[in-house]
Amino acid sequence: QVQLVESGGGLVQPGESLRLTCAATGNILDFDAIGWYRQAPGKEREFLASMSSGGNTRYVDSVKGRFTISRDNAKNTVYLQMTSLTPGDTAVYYCNAARVGAGGRRYDYWGQGTQVTVSA
C-alpha cells in the first residue's frame, strides 16, 4: 500500500518562503513521476510540478521561477520549495505519485494534503 505524507504547510506572510515535504513509503523511483498539486477553495485541483523517475521536471507556468521540486532518493522524500508566496498561493497542497501501467493506464496515489495560507 502506497502512502504519501505531506508536511510543512502553515501560515506565512506575502513574500515569504515555505518548503513542503512528502514522505513516501517504498522507493520513490518505482513511480514514473512524483509531484505536487494544490486545490484552493471553490477551485479544481491543479498541477504544480512533477519530477520523473529520470529526474526530468515540469512546472505549471504560474509557479515557474518561484517553486522548485526536488527529491532525496535515500529518504524517499520529495520537496516543494516555494518562494515569493502570494495570497493566490493559498490552498491545500497535495503530493501525488503516479505509475503508468499496461496500455498506458495511469495509477495515481495521493497524500492527505497540507494547508498553506498566505496572508498579511
Side-chain angles (χ1 to χ4, degrees):
Q1 183 71 17
V2 176
Q3 284 191 318
L4 304 171
V5 180
E6 302 100 332
S7 61
L11 172 64
V12 296
Q13 294 189 345
E16 292 188 338
S17 299
L18 206 58
R19 188 178 79 159
L20 304 183
T21 298
C22 172
T25 57
N27 189 345
I28 59 174
L29 296 181
D30 287 342
F31 298 103
D32 291 287
I34 191 161
W36 292 91
Y37 290 66
R38 70 184 178 191
Q39 188 166 18
K43 294 187 177 181
E44 293 187 354
R45 191 171 297 188
E46 66 168 334
F47 166 82
L48 296 176
S50 67
M51 180 178 285
S52 70
S53 56
N56 294 319
T57 58
R58 271 199 316 134
Y59 297 91
V60 69
D61 286 346
S62 61
V63 306
K64 281 181 181 177
R66 296 194 302 126
F67 292 9
T68 303
I69 188 170
S70 62
R71 70 185 182 205
D72 184 330
N73 296 338
K75 295 181 178 179
N76 291 313
T77 299
V78 179
Y79 305 97
L80 185 68
Q81 179 68 48
M82 305 185 293
T83 63
S84 302
L85 287 164
T86 73
D89 295 314
T90 295
V92 178
Y93 285 67
Y94 295 92
C95 182
N96 167 272
R99 286 194 180 110
V100 179
R105 180 177 175 177
R106 177 177 169 134
Y107 299 84
D108 285 289
Y109 304 89
W110 296 94
Q112 82 287 352
T114 185
Q115 176 71 45
V116 172
T117 303
V118 185
S119 175

